Short mmCIF file of all heavy atoms in Angstrom, two decimals:
data_model
loop_
_atom_site.label_atom_id
_atom_site.label_comp_id
_atom_site.label_asym_id
_atom_site.label_seq_id
_atom_site.Cartn_x
_atom_site.Cartn_y
_atom_site.Cartn_z
N SER A 14 6.16 15.31 -11.02
CA SER A 14 6.82 15.62 -12.28
C SER A 14 5.86 16.26 -13.27
O SER A 14 6.26 17.03 -14.12
CB SER A 14 7.44 14.36 -12.89
OG SER A 14 6.41 13.46 -13.24
N GLU A 15 4.57 15.99 -13.17
CA GLU A 15 3.60 16.60 -14.05
C GLU A 15 3.33 18.05 -13.68
O GLU A 15 3.04 18.87 -14.53
CB GLU A 15 2.30 15.79 -14.04
CG GLU A 15 2.43 14.44 -14.68
CD GLU A 15 1.17 13.61 -14.53
OE1 GLU A 15 0.20 14.10 -13.92
OE2 GLU A 15 1.15 12.48 -15.03
N ILE A 16 3.44 18.37 -12.39
CA ILE A 16 3.16 19.74 -11.95
C ILE A 16 4.24 20.69 -12.42
O ILE A 16 3.95 21.78 -12.89
CB ILE A 16 3.04 19.78 -10.41
CG1 ILE A 16 1.80 19.00 -9.96
CG2 ILE A 16 2.98 21.21 -9.91
CD1 ILE A 16 1.70 18.81 -8.48
N ASN A 17 5.50 20.30 -12.32
CA ASN A 17 6.62 21.15 -12.71
C ASN A 17 7.30 20.60 -13.95
O ASN A 17 8.34 19.95 -13.85
CB ASN A 17 7.64 21.25 -11.56
CG ASN A 17 7.04 21.89 -10.33
OD1 ASN A 17 6.20 22.76 -10.43
ND2 ASN A 17 7.47 21.44 -9.16
N PRO A 18 6.74 20.85 -15.12
CA PRO A 18 7.39 20.32 -16.33
C PRO A 18 8.69 21.09 -16.58
O PRO A 18 8.78 22.30 -16.35
CB PRO A 18 6.38 20.58 -17.44
CG PRO A 18 5.57 21.73 -16.94
CD PRO A 18 5.53 21.57 -15.43
N LYS A 19 9.68 20.38 -17.05
CA LYS A 19 10.97 20.99 -17.33
C LYS A 19 10.91 21.67 -18.68
O LYS A 19 10.56 21.06 -19.68
CB LYS A 19 12.08 19.94 -17.32
CG LYS A 19 12.29 19.30 -15.97
CD LYS A 19 13.39 18.29 -16.02
CE LYS A 19 13.58 17.62 -14.68
NZ LYS A 19 14.62 16.61 -14.73
N THR A 20 11.26 22.93 -18.68
CA THR A 20 11.32 23.66 -19.94
C THR A 20 12.76 24.07 -20.18
O THR A 20 13.42 24.61 -19.30
CB THR A 20 10.44 24.93 -19.89
OG1 THR A 20 10.86 25.74 -18.80
CG2 THR A 20 8.97 24.56 -19.73
N THR A 21 13.23 23.77 -21.36
CA THR A 21 14.60 24.13 -21.70
C THR A 21 14.56 25.25 -22.71
O THR A 21 13.78 25.22 -23.67
CB THR A 21 15.36 22.93 -22.29
OG1 THR A 21 14.65 22.48 -23.44
CG2 THR A 21 15.47 21.80 -21.28
N THR A 22 15.39 26.23 -22.48
CA THR A 22 15.48 27.34 -23.42
C THR A 22 16.73 27.16 -24.25
O THR A 22 17.81 26.89 -23.71
CB THR A 22 15.54 28.69 -22.68
OG1 THR A 22 16.64 28.66 -21.78
CG2 THR A 22 14.27 28.94 -21.91
N PRO A 23 16.62 27.30 -25.56
CA PRO A 23 17.81 27.14 -26.39
C PRO A 23 18.78 28.29 -26.17
O PRO A 23 18.38 29.43 -25.96
CB PRO A 23 17.26 27.16 -27.82
CG PRO A 23 15.95 27.86 -27.70
CD PRO A 23 15.43 27.57 -26.32
N ILE A 24 20.06 27.96 -26.18
CA ILE A 24 21.10 28.95 -25.98
C ILE A 24 21.39 29.62 -27.32
O ILE A 24 21.61 28.93 -28.32
CB ILE A 24 22.37 28.30 -25.42
CG1 ILE A 24 22.07 27.67 -24.07
CG2 ILE A 24 23.49 29.31 -25.29
CD1 ILE A 24 23.20 26.85 -23.53
N GLU A 25 21.38 30.93 -27.32
CA GLU A 25 21.66 31.66 -28.55
C GLU A 25 23.17 31.75 -28.76
O GLU A 25 23.91 32.15 -27.88
CB GLU A 25 21.07 33.06 -28.48
CG GLU A 25 19.55 33.07 -28.44
CD GLU A 25 19.00 34.47 -28.44
OE1 GLU A 25 19.71 35.41 -28.85
OE2 GLU A 25 17.86 34.62 -28.02
N ILE A 26 23.60 31.37 -29.94
CA ILE A 26 25.01 31.42 -30.29
C ILE A 26 25.22 32.60 -31.22
O ILE A 26 24.49 32.74 -32.21
CB ILE A 26 25.45 30.11 -30.98
CG1 ILE A 26 25.24 28.93 -30.05
CG2 ILE A 26 26.90 30.20 -31.40
CD1 ILE A 26 25.51 27.59 -30.68
N PRO A 27 26.19 33.48 -30.92
CA PRO A 27 26.44 34.62 -31.80
C PRO A 27 26.80 34.16 -33.22
O PRO A 27 27.33 33.06 -33.42
CB PRO A 27 27.62 35.33 -31.16
CG PRO A 27 27.62 34.88 -29.74
CD PRO A 27 27.03 33.50 -29.74
N ALA A 28 26.52 35.01 -34.20
CA ALA A 28 26.72 34.66 -35.61
C ALA A 28 28.19 34.39 -35.91
O ALA A 28 28.51 33.46 -36.66
CB ALA A 28 26.20 35.77 -36.50
N GLU A 29 29.08 35.18 -35.33
CA GLU A 29 30.52 34.99 -35.58
C GLU A 29 30.99 33.62 -35.09
O GLU A 29 31.75 32.92 -35.77
CB GLU A 29 31.33 36.08 -34.88
CG GLU A 29 31.03 37.47 -35.36
CD GLU A 29 31.66 38.53 -34.47
OE1 GLU A 29 32.20 38.18 -33.40
OE2 GLU A 29 31.63 39.70 -34.87
N VAL A 30 30.52 33.23 -33.92
CA VAL A 30 30.90 31.94 -33.35
C VAL A 30 30.33 30.81 -34.19
O VAL A 30 31.01 29.81 -34.44
CB VAL A 30 30.43 31.84 -31.88
CG1 VAL A 30 30.67 30.47 -31.32
CG2 VAL A 30 31.12 32.90 -31.03
N GLN A 31 29.10 30.98 -34.65
CA GLN A 31 28.47 29.94 -35.48
C GLN A 31 29.22 29.75 -36.79
O GLN A 31 29.39 28.62 -37.26
CB GLN A 31 27.00 30.30 -35.75
CG GLN A 31 26.23 29.19 -36.42
CD GLN A 31 26.16 27.95 -35.56
OE1 GLN A 31 25.94 28.02 -34.37
NE2 GLN A 31 26.33 26.80 -36.18
#
Side-chain angles (χ1 to χ4, degrees):
S14 66
E15 291 175 0
I16 293 172
N17 298 326
K19 295 180 181 178
T20 57
T21 58
T22 56
I24 299 172
E25 294 183 21
I26 300 174
E29 298 170 352
V30 173
Q31 189 62 42

